[in-house]
Amino acid sequence: AQGGPDYDKIIEGLKSSWLEKAEDLIQQEYGLTADGVDLKIEVHTLDGAYGVLAYVSGYPGADGKYYNQELHIDLDDFTPGDLPNGGTGPNYNDRIIAHEMVHAVMGRTMNFASLPTWFKEGTAEFIHGADERVVGDLAAAGGNAQTIVDQLDGAWGGGSIDYSAGYTATKYLHNAITGSGGIKGLMTFLSSNANFY
């Protein structure tokens, strides 16, 4: 961890609202509540600006839940740390925290290890909305939506288009199962049926 004005603002944002609002949003939209296990938070330089913004680490147990989870935040990507949102659009700090907290809460409430990456990342993007990401990736693909769809057939590459594909698939899935509660219904099912998949 490091000091400095942005570090102090990031810590203030985490303590005053970003974590709590993310947990409230996840409970409201996905029906998932963290189980009370401590989440260690590290604010440090990961790989400099415009690299990995943040990530949750941990180790899967036999039940597929994740243990010893840590939230890592790249100080260089969380500037400015100004409240209430921090960062600059579309990568506002509170949105990044909401994304990562979806991973952390899913990691403690279901067999997270068995889920495909597109679903893990798609639901993390879906919690805050990522239409602007899809618009940008669609423009980069010359307007060919099939390019985004095709990302679901290959290995996860970690690029913006992969996140767009996961988000789009999750949004489609949510709309397709609205009669069963949408993504919230699916998430509550997965948290209650760890051996289903």
Side-chain angles (χ1 to χ4, degrees):
Q2 301 178 15
D6 281 305
Y7 176 84
D8 294 339
K9 290 176 183 177
I10 291 166
I11 298 303
E12 182 182 351
L14 291 166
K15 287 181 176 180
S16 68
S17 64
W18 300 341
L19 291 167
E20 183 179 353
K21 285 182 180 179
E23 286 184 300
D24 290 346
L25 188 60
I26 293 164
Q27 198 287 319
Q28 178 184 343
E29 299 297 325
Y30 290 167
L32 302 176
T33 303
D35 63 358
V37 172
D38 288 338
L39 175 66
K40 183 177 180 183
I41 299 172
E42 294 279 341
V43 179
H44 50 108
T45 299
L46 296 174
D47 55 9
Y50 309 113
V52 174
L53 305 177
Y55 69 93
V56 174
S57 65
Y59 303 96
D63 57 0
K65 291 182 179 180
Y66 272 63
Y67 296 85
N68 299 319
Q69 290 189 119
E70 296 181 357
L71 170 59
H72 298 266
I73 297 169
D74 189 347
L75 181 61
D76 291 337
D77 284 313
F78 270 63
T79 56
D82 301 327
L83 297 176
N85 302 328
T88 55
N91 295 321
Y92 293 108
N93 297 348
D94 59 346
R95 289 178 66 168
I96 298 166
I97 294 300
H99 176 111
E100 296 305 330
M101 287 302 292
V102 168
H103 295 318
V105 174
M106 286 175 68
R108 292 297 307 149
T109 57
M110 62 185 67
N111 186 346
F112 191 64
S114 295
L115 297 173
T117 303
W118 73 262
F119 183 74
K120 293 176 187 178
E121 297 299 344
T123 53
E125 288 287 280
F126 190 66
I127 198 76
H128 58 71
D131 289 345
E132 73 279 356
R133 179 193 288 276
V134 176
V135 168
D137 286 332
L138 190 57
N144 183 358
Q146 190 62 43
T147 303
I148 293 175
V149 173
D150 289 345
Q151 290 301 119
L152 294 172
D153 291 334
W156 181 264
S160 183
I161 197 166
D162 293 290
Y163 287 90
S164 284
Y167 168 72
T168 302
T170 301
K171 192 171 184 177
Y172 175 84
L173 179 60
H174 171 71
N175 291 331
I177 60 173
T178 51
S180 299
I183 290 299
K184 184 175 185 177
L186 179 57
M187 289 291 206
T188 55
F189 176 83
L190 292 174
S191 68
S192 300
N193 297 275
N195 297 319
F196 179 74
Y197 41 93

